[in-house]
Every structure is written in structure tokens, then in C-alpha cells.
Amino acid sequence: MNSRTMWLLGAGLLCLAGAVFAAETNPAGMNPNPVQLRRSPVAPLSAMAQLGKEIFYDASLSSSGALSCASCHSPDHAYGPPNDGPVMLGGADLSRQGARAVPSLTYLDRHPNFSIGPDKGDDDNIVDLAQMAAIGQQAARTTKTAGGSGASANIVPQGGLFWDGRADTLQDQALFPLLDPNEMDGGSAGIVADKLRRAPYAGRFVELFGAGVLRNQRLLIAEAMFAVARYQVEEPSFHPYTSKYDYWLEGKARLSESELRGLQAFNDPDKANCAGCHTSAPTRDGLPPLFTDHQYEALGAPRNAALAGNRDPGYFDLGVCGPQRTDIPEQTQYCGMFLTPTLRNTATRHAFFHNGVFSTLQQVMDFYNFRDTNPDKVFPRAADGTVRKYDDLPAKYYANVDVTDPPFDRHPGDKPAMTEQDEADIIAFLKTLTDGYKIEN
């Protein structure tokens, strides 16, 4: 490997290690500059988190009596969906489709609140979203490339939970599906509160907050959702950092030749450029990489005909602009933008992108590779044979679609950014991001 290849493999580790990669081969597959990752200490769950665990697994809170938080966020599937379909089914008889693909609940403890850039770091000053969005309309956008640092200055949406960032806290996030008629369908706050009062763990509320909490509907629900949030924060399996890649970073595991090539292509701005959005390097203070920059992108993914809502040709899911998020619909420059998800445990999933239109990593890679060079490979054709590119977005918002960040900076007839081997190698690398890897002794 030459020095540039070693830099790409390092993905920014040189600065962290305080050394320069040597232009030498690494046939053993070990990280030539291992780092020490910082993980949260493991401790017994607090009483609050134990209460949250019981609520998380309580299916009686749903109208069907068969759906709990864990039903859609299965611990056996990296707290993601356990089914093979694009969305989960809910409602009273478990026949109603959810509006979007179910995200994983892992690694949300480090997720920032929703804001409109640039990245504020530790600045807690509140800036009006509309004011920042207005500034963003005039600001030049920095191209995001792997290893670059300029993208953090982009005035774009970032942070928040769900695909559209409409919740900032884990407790707010827990309440939405509980009341959503397409998901747990808990009904009104009053119905949910009555079920909590009758739950086997109702005594835990009294122990923690006093008997008065059961008489205060608003407080009871708020504390229940806070307990669920504490469970997610304290339970190590929500953020284990036990993937093969984590151990490779620490010099405790070897990557195969294909996995190493995949890491190289992942970090290469001239190929996949995945790390331009899915950051692969640890933080300066040793926190493991989250494989997301928490920003929002309009990628123009194909429409998913399997979703019931899409049977209406006039319906469009516009992400930050709605319909589920309702506070900034006038910021039309963000219509079609969705949160960049973490790629950790992505190989365990069967639904990709907000609408679950892709079911395999191969389809995802093909979309990134051919969206602009060979759109006929990823988009449907109209009756007249023309390719219906960006068919899940109104034409007036096409300008929002990312056409500057590699590999989306190509044009019809250009050579695709990746070869078949590149795609296969990147998929091999993505599989190293699955938690639960056992280190060889």
C-alpha cells in the first residue's frame, strides 16, 4: 500500500495517534496505529432505568395488547425492526403500516438536539430556527468529502430524533409511537395513564415519586417516558461499541483483505466517499465513531410503491418539511431532507432509507453508484419509457437534492464511482460494524 492508501485506511487516525503512517504494507490486517477507545463504564441499572425496562417491554400499553417498544426495536436486531418488510405493522389489529422505516435505537445517547447549522459544538445559546434557515438560503454549501472538515460549517438541519428530527429527547421520542394510531396506538393520554396505574410495576412509580404521581396524569406519563429514556442511556446493549471495526481500531482484531479494501473505498473521496457523511474516525477525545455526521440530506431515493400512503400520487413524505414534522414547513429548501443514520449494525437491517425502498446493502450501493450516471438502474420508467428520476419528490424541490457531494457529482454517461469489486468490498466492511464480535484469543 502507498502512503495515500494508508491515510485512507486510517480515516483521520494520524492526528489522534500523533504519528504519520509509514508507506509500508500491512498484510496481517491489523491497524498500524491502534488507539484506545473510551466507552461508558458498565454499572447496575438504577431504579429509574429498571422501571423503564419494564415499560419498554410492556405490550399491554398498545391497543392490540401485542406491541411493545421492543416489538419494533428488537434487542435481537440491534434495537431495530425484526421483520423483512419496509415498515412495521401496528394499530389495533396489527394491520396498519407505519409511515416510515423503523430506525435503530442504538447509539442515540450521543445524538445532538435538532438545530440548523453550523455545528455549535459546546455552545448552548438558542438560535431561532427560522433565522438560521434564512441565513442558510444565502450561504454557500461546502462539499462534504471523507477526511474534510468544512462540512461542519454548512447551515443545514442537523440532530434530533426520528428521520425528521422532530424530537430532541429520548423521552419525547418514546411518546410518539405510543400514541401513533399506526404503531402502538395507545389512544389518548388518559388511556395510557390508566394502563400505567394498573400495570404490575405501578408500585415502582410510588416508590420513586410518591403516591401522588398516580393521580397526576401529565406527571405520570412524563416520568414513564423519562424512565424509558434512562433505560436506553444506562443499558449497555444500546451503545456497546463491540464491533469488529471497534476492535480493529484498538489493535485487537484483523480485517480481511476485502474488508480493508472496503474501508479504503469507504474513506476515499474519489470512490464511495461514504465517510463524507458517515464519519469513520474516533473523536479527538477517544470516543468511538458513530458513522453519522447527524446532518440531513435530500438524496432523491425512489418512491416505495409498497407503502399504502404512496398509493395517492399527490402524497409526498418531505421529511423536515412534513407531514409528520409541522413546525418549519415554510423552509422549503429543506423539503426532501432526512437524517443521515448511523451505519453501525446496518448489515442486520432489511429496510434502508426513510421509506424502506431498499431491502439489501447491494441495492443501497447501486443507488449511490448509479443514481446519476445510470439512473435507469435505480429508478422506474414512465409509460413513455422515460426514467422517472426523483419520483418520490415534487419537481419543485429537485433543487434540494444533493448533486455536489461525491459520488453524486457525476452525470449521465460518466464512469460510476465504484466497480463491482468496490461495492462488494464496502459491503464486507459494513459487516464489520455489527456489534457482538468475539475477539480471538
Side-chain angles (χ1 to χ4, degrees), residues 85-89 97-101 302-312 315 317 353-357 392:
V87 294
M88 289 290 292
L89 301 179
Q97 284 189 342
R100 294 171 179 158
R303 193 171 180 87
N304 190 350
L307 299 185
N310 285 344
R311 295 170 188 164
D312 176 2
Y315 171 81
D317 187 347
F353 286 53
H354 69 280
N355 58 3
V357 66
D392 203 24

Side-chain angles (χ1 to χ4, degrees), residues 116-311:
I116 293 178
D119 189 352
K120 297 192 303 175
D122 295 328
D123 182 4
D124 292 328
N125 294 323
I126 297 176
V127 180
D128 181 75
L129 293 180
Q131 180 183 357
M132 288 304 302
I135 296 173
Q137 286 181 311
Q138 308 299 323
R141 186 178 184 277
T142 302
T143 299
K144 301 200 311 189
T145 55
S149 59
S152 62
N154 282 336
I155 302 180
V156 296
Q158 58 185 320
L161 303 171
F162 296 108
W163 286 102
D164 55 17
R166 67 186 184 277
D168 273 336
T169 65
L170 289 171
Q171 52 264 44
D172 287 341
Q173 185 274 331
L175 186 60
F176 276 97
L178 179 60
L179 299 178
D180 192 322
N182 295 323
E183 299 186 46
M184 291 181 70
D185 188 33
S188 67
I191 294 174
V192 171
D194 284 341
K195 288 184 176 181
L196 290 172
R197 295 184 186 106
R198 298 193 302 269
Y201 47 80
R204 287 185 178 268
F205 284 104
V206 177
E207 294 170 5
L208 287 168
F209 311 110
V213 70
L214 297 181
R215 297 190 294 271
N216 187 324
Q217 173 181 300
R218 181 193 61 79
L219 181 62
L220 177 60
I221 294 176
E223 297 296 3
M225 296 303 98
F226 181 73
V228 172
R230 287 309 310 169
Y231 173 55
Q232 291 178 244
V233 170
E234 296 183 26
E235 169 54 48
S237 60
F238 282 98
H239 36 80
Y241 300 107
T242 55
S243 72
K244 185 178 183 180
Y245 182 67
D246 291 309
Y247 294 129
W248 179 82
L249 287 173
E250 296 179 303
K252 299 176 182 178
R254 306 171 188 270
L255 295 187
S256 69
E257 291 184 4
S258 178
E259 291 164 351
L260 283 170
R261 290 195 305 266
L263 173 57
Q264 176 185 344
F266 187 95
N267 289 326
D268 191 340
D270 296 326
K271 289 200 176 213
N273 192 43
C274 306
C277 295
H278 301 280
T279 49
S280 59
T283 65
R284 293 183 179 277
D285 55 355
L287 291 174
L290 289 177
F291 285 87
T292 174
D293 61 3
H294 305 296
Q295 293 188 356
Y296 287 69
E297 293 282 349
L299 301 182
R303 193 171 180 87
N304 190 350
L307 299 185
N310 285 344
R311 295 170 188 164

